[in-house]
């Protein structure tokens, strides 16, 4: 019996030893090495060229384009072709919210100039306390980057874009066309003469400011508000809705505001007319005939064959719709520096104040202009 137990114990030990017990198993085959995980590949950010300078723009390419437009406007981004026309849409349109803010996520980061088109929405015109249709406004930017992608679409950018597109259509490069469009806009206020060659101002306009990165005395409209106010009162003077005013000025800018009120092709600029208190944009009327009829005789200049006609549009806006209001503010607040910092060529009197006769004349012209609000058709646009 003891012998049988010894045999059983011995057999069990052999079985345990054969199963491995910490030893190798010749039937397991070679072991598989762990898989190697490659690190994710990060694309190198794309540098964008500022076509105005030929150097790298600040920041890098981005798909995010944001800014402000009229409340409720639908904003779409497009590429820009060499002739100034719109290329493909860069993404789905975005709607400006109650604060006018919008965000567009482009399907791909734009590498060249971009056109933003805002359609619809409403605008409040403070000059006559009206709420008016926004129409269609454009903004053309020479580049979009992470450091430069927040824009303010406004009548100012639309006027510049209008003139730029005409210039490019005439054969100018996009860079030169962009410069020309901005110069035509700045010419609406003679105080901006020092900025005409300053490319930093061109870019700042797209962000809502007529401002140079270099200090030029105080001769700067920090938010472009004087120009926007001037355009509003041009609408009051001509009794035109806001959307018609900006298109007329943009068309006139194409020809450098020729006295004949023609566009870049030499054709008379058409504006709409009122019929039964309804504005008809397609009605046949010219900007020249409207301006000649609406401009006070004392503000007219010599025209062909001894006639008296409305002055060039930029000269009129600058003198009577921007400078007059700036002067009136300075006179009423007894702050001559407010005016002379913008218009350093103006000579004050011996006491360093605005001349009383100048203050009185500006105030009278403004009063006559504002008196038109009561009888204008556009005043009823609520």
């Amino acid at each position: 019996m003891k012998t049988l137990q010894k045999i059983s114990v011995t057999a069990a030990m052999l079985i345990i030893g054969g199963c491995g017990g910490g030893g190798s198993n010749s039937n397991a085959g070679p072991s598989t090495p762990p898989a190697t995980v490659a690190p994710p590949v990060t694309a190198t950010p794309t540098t964008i060229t500022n076509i105005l300078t030929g150097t790298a723009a600040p920041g890098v390419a981005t798909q995010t384009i944001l800014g402000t437009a009229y409340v409720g406007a639908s904003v779409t981004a497009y590429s820009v072709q060499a002739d100034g026309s719109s290329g493909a849409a860069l993404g789905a349109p975005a709607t400006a919210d109650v604060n006018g803010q919008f965000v567009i996520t482009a399907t791909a980061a734009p590498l060249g100039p971009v056109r933003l088109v805002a359609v619809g929405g409403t605008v409040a015109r403070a000059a006559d306390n009206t709420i008016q249709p926004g129409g269609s406004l454009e903004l053309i930017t020479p580049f979009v980057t992470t450091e430069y992608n927040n824009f303010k679409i406004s009548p100012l950018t639309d006027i510049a874009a209008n003139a730029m597109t005409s210039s490019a259509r005439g054969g100018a490069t996009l860079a030169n066309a962009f410069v020309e469009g901005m110069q035509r806009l700045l010419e609406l206020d003679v105080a901006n003469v020092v900025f005409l060659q300053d490319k930093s101002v061109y870019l700042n306009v797209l962000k809502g400011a007529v401002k140079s990165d270099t200090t030029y005395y105080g001769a700067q409209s920090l938010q472009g508000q004087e120009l926007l106010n001037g355009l509003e009162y041009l609408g009051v003077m001509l009794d035109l809705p806001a959307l018609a005013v900006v298109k007329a000025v943009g068309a006139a800018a194409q020809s450098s505001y020729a006295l004949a009120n023609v566009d870049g092709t030499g054709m008379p600029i058409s504006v709409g007319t009122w019929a039964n208190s309804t504005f008809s944009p397609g009605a046949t009327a010219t900007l020249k005939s409207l301006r000649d009829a609406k401009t006070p005789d004392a503000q007219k200049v010599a025209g062909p064959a001894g006639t008296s006609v409305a002055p060039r549009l930029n000269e009129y806006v600058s003198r009577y719709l921007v400078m007059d209001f700036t002067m009136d503010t300075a006179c009423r607040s007894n702050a001559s520096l407010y005016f002379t910092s913008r218009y350093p060529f103006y000579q004050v009197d011996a006491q360093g104040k605005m001349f009383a006769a100048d203050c009185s004349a500006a105030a009278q012209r403004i009063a006559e202009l504002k008196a038109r609000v009561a009888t204008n058709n556009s005043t009823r646009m609520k």
Side-chain angles (χ1 to χ4, degrees), residues 70-72 98 120-135 232 240-243 274 279 373 377-382:
Y70 288 158
V71 173
V98 293
T122 56
V123 56
R125 188 161 77 177
D128 53 9
N129 192 31
T130 58
I131 302 296
Q132 304 190 14
E232 285 195 1
L240 287 176
L243 58 87
W274 293 94
F279 184 74
V373 171
N377 289 284
S378 54
T379 302
R380 291 185 281 276
M381 300 177 73
K382 300 294 184 182

Side-chain angles (χ1 to χ4, degrees), residues 301-362:
V301 298
T307 59
S308 294
V309 298
R312 293 173 64 202
L313 186 57
N314 63 318
E315 294 172 353
Y316 187 87
V317 171
S318 177
R319 176 66 186 87
Y320 298 108
L321 303 179
V322 177
M323 191 186 301
D324 266 359
F325 279 84
T326 307
M327 176 177 284
D328 186 59
T329 299
C331 293
R332 287 186 290 104
S333 60
N334 196 28
S336 298
L337 187 60
Y338 176 77
F339 185 80
T340 57
S341 64
R342 290 289 313 284
Y343 303 96
F345 52 80
Y346 180 83
Q347 299 298 311
V348 295
D349 65 15
Q351 286 74 43
K353 297 181 179 181
M354 314 288 293
F355 283 96
D358 292 343
C359 290
S360 178

Side-chain angles (χ1 to χ4, degrees), residues 1-346:
M1 188 68 178
K2 292 181 179 179
T3 301
L4 184 59
Q5 289 177 341
K6 290 180 178 180
I7 294 173
S8 299
V9 172
T10 302
M13 292 176 66
L14 289 173
I15 292 172
I16 293 173
C19 288
S24 63
N25 185 349
S26 60
N27 295 325
S31 59
T32 303
T36 301
V37 179
V41 177
T42 302
T44 302
T46 302
T47 299
I48 302 297
T49 298
N50 177 355
I51 62 173
L52 301 181
T53 62
T55 60
V60 294
T62 180
Q63 293 175 251
T64 302
I65 305 172
L66 61 154
T68 59
Y70 288 158
V71 173
S74 177
V75 185
T76 306
Y78 299 91
S79 61
V80 181
Q81 307 284 17
D83 64 354
S85 62
S86 294
L90 300 177
T95 300
D97 64 16
V98 293
N99 297 312
Q101 297 178 342
F102 67 87
V103 178
I104 294 174
T105 301
T107 52
L111 304 181
V114 171
R115 171 182 275 113
L116 299 177
V117 180
V119 179
T122 56
V123 56
R125 188 161 77 177
D128 53 9
N129 192 31
T130 58
I131 302 296
Q132 304 190 14
S136 174
L137 295 180
E138 296 185 9
L139 178 153
I140 299 177
T141 175
F143 60 87
V144 174
T145 67
T146 52
E147 298 296 321
Y148 191 80
N149 67 337
N150 194 335
F151 306 103
K152 185 177 180 64
I153 305 172
S154 75
L156 305 187
T157 64
D158 192 79
I159 292 168
N162 194 324
M164 178 212 162
T165 301
S166 175
S167 179
R169 191 183 301 123
T173 65
L174 290 182
N176 289 341
F178 184 85
V179 169
E180 183 172 346
M182 280 296 168
Q183 289 178 344
R184 298 294 87 79
L185 169 67
L186 294 174
E187 287 173 4
L188 289 171
D189 181 5
V190 70
N192 295 325
V193 67
V194 294
F195 301 148
L196 292 183
Q197 304 301 324
D198 189 339
K199 295 175 181 177
S200 71
V201 177
Y202 308 159
L203 297 180
N204 288 333
V205 167
L206 304 183
K207 296 186 289 185
V210 179
K211 181 179 180 181
S212 172
D213 292 343
T214 303
T215 300
Y216 289 103
Y217 310 103
Q220 304 194 65
S221 171
L222 297 183
Q223 299 301 323
Q225 196 58 51
E226 288 92 341
L227 278 178
L228 290 171
N229 291 345
L231 293 175
E232 285 195 1
Y233 275 102
L234 180 62
V236 170
M237 198 275 280
L238 298 176
D239 192 12
L240 287 176
L243 58 87
V245 169
V246 67
K247 295 307 177 186
V249 176
Q254 296 178 7
S255 65
S256 298
Y257 307 104
L259 189 63
N261 293 275
V262 293
D263 63 17
T265 66
M267 295 297 294
I269 298 169
S270 295
V271 293
T273 58
W274 293 94
N276 299 321
S277 299
T278 300
F279 184 74
S280 175
T284 302
T286 66
L287 179 62
K288 176 173 173 49
S289 62
L290 181 62
R291 294 190 63 225
D292 286 346
K294 295 283 189 178
T295 302
D297 288 341
Q299 298 171 7
K300 290 182 177 179
V301 298
T307 59
S308 294
V309 298
R312 293 173 64 202
L313 186 57
N314 63 318
E315 294 172 353
Y316 187 87
V317 171
S318 177
R319 176 66 186 87
Y320 298 108
L321 303 179
V322 177
M323 191 186 301
D324 266 359
F325 279 84
T326 307
M327 176 177 284
D328 186 59
T329 299
C331 293
R332 287 186 290 104
S333 60
N334 196 28
S336 298
L337 187 60
Y338 176 77
F339 185 80
T340 57
S341 64
R342 290 289 313 284
Y343 303 96
F345 52 80
Y346 180 83

